[in-house]
Amino acid sequence: MKLALHIGMWGAAPTDRYIELAQRAEALGFDMVATSESYGSDVFTLLTVIPSHTSSIGLSTCVMPIQSRTPASAAMTAITLDHISNGRMSLGVGVSSPGIIEGWHGQPFSRPVQRTREWLDIFQMIVAREEPLVYDGEVYQLPYRGDDGMGLGKRFKAITHPLRKRIPVYLAALGPKNIQLAVERFDGWQPVWIPPTLYEELWGEELDAAPSEFEVIASVPFCIADNLEEALLPVRRNLAMVLGGYGSREVNFNRDMAARAGFGDTVAMLQDLYLSGRQQQAAEAVPLELADEMAIIGSKEHIRERLKA
């Protein structure tokens, strides 16, 4: 088992001491430091700063929405950061949600599995830099061949030679088709908001087909605290939001997966409370047992037991 530090995304103000946190994680032997984004701070900028203050800890995004950047844009950034960090870069990517993609990026949220597959194809072709970029997909065409274009697109190879022919990419996903795609094509899988103890029950068949080097990166809230109930309050608030208020009443991927995991009645109640404006009641309605299963929080002794799980 490896450990990673997820320093997340900034809220209303920058995260305090993010360089010091990365240095401390490296000194403790952590394998990776990761960042994320939604509709505020971006996922890459901190990863341009941290390498100059560290020497060995890996860098990753957790998670970059694939429609926030074209495959070429993401590949150029990854190539650049891989050089800056002397080969420490990796990417965690995912399709995000209709709310973010259509509301923030102004793009249609459509064909997520096919889009993900094609995005990875192009990203890997650019990083491998073996031939000029040509891709005729259902979602992406390079050079562009749509009727609204000028038909003047050229075939390019990256000017900058990548440090490595392959930069690891992990897929954040919950649906069975996406997890199957992760096992077939990606270097690892990032599950979120599902108890790690349920991975085998829910996705054992898909994960059994993974190669030995395939990595599962479980993101869980972490805190050393004597009062477990008090320490779990932020987790319960987050769960109320992602299970009850994320997306819409019709489309909420986190809610659907939690229901599949056996929490159907709970998430239905959370959604009713949250979407009717009763967010605090929704947080209080999240069972402590569920929040504890999602987190590694409590006394050092309790944390040791949770880490085993």
Side-chain angles (χ1 to χ4, degrees), residues 29 52 57 64-65 68 88 102 118 169 171 190 205-206 219 245:
S52 62
I57 195 166
M64 187 207 83
S68 66
R88 289 188 270 159
E102 297 189 357
E118 294 186 14
V169 186
L171 181 61
Q190 294 183 353
E205 185 176 343
E206 290 86 352
S219 292

Side-chain angles (χ1 to χ4, degrees), residues 23-81:
Q23 291 173 323
R24 180 66 173 153
E26 180 176 76
L28 290 169
F30 277 50
D31 187 68
M32 180 190 296
V33 60
T35 58
S36 59
E37 72 177 31
S38 184
Y39 46 96
S41 61
D42 80 287
V43 76
F44 282 121
T45 301
L46 294 186
L47 298 182
T48 69
V49 178
I50 290 172
S52 62
H53 297 275
T54 58
S55 60
S56 60
I57 195 166
L59 312 169
S60 190
T61 59
C62 180
V63 174
M64 187 207 83
I66 61 172
Q67 284 183 256
S68 66
R69 294 153 185 90
T70 65
S73 174
M76 290 191 295
T77 304
I79 289 168
T80 304
L81 282 170

Side-chain angles (χ1 to χ4, degrees), residues 244-261:
Y246 194 73
S248 67
R249 189 174 291 278
E250 293 75 25
V251 180
N252 182 331
F253 303 133
N254 297 310
R255 174 205 62 193
D256 296 343
M257 188 50 59
R260 184 183 170 202

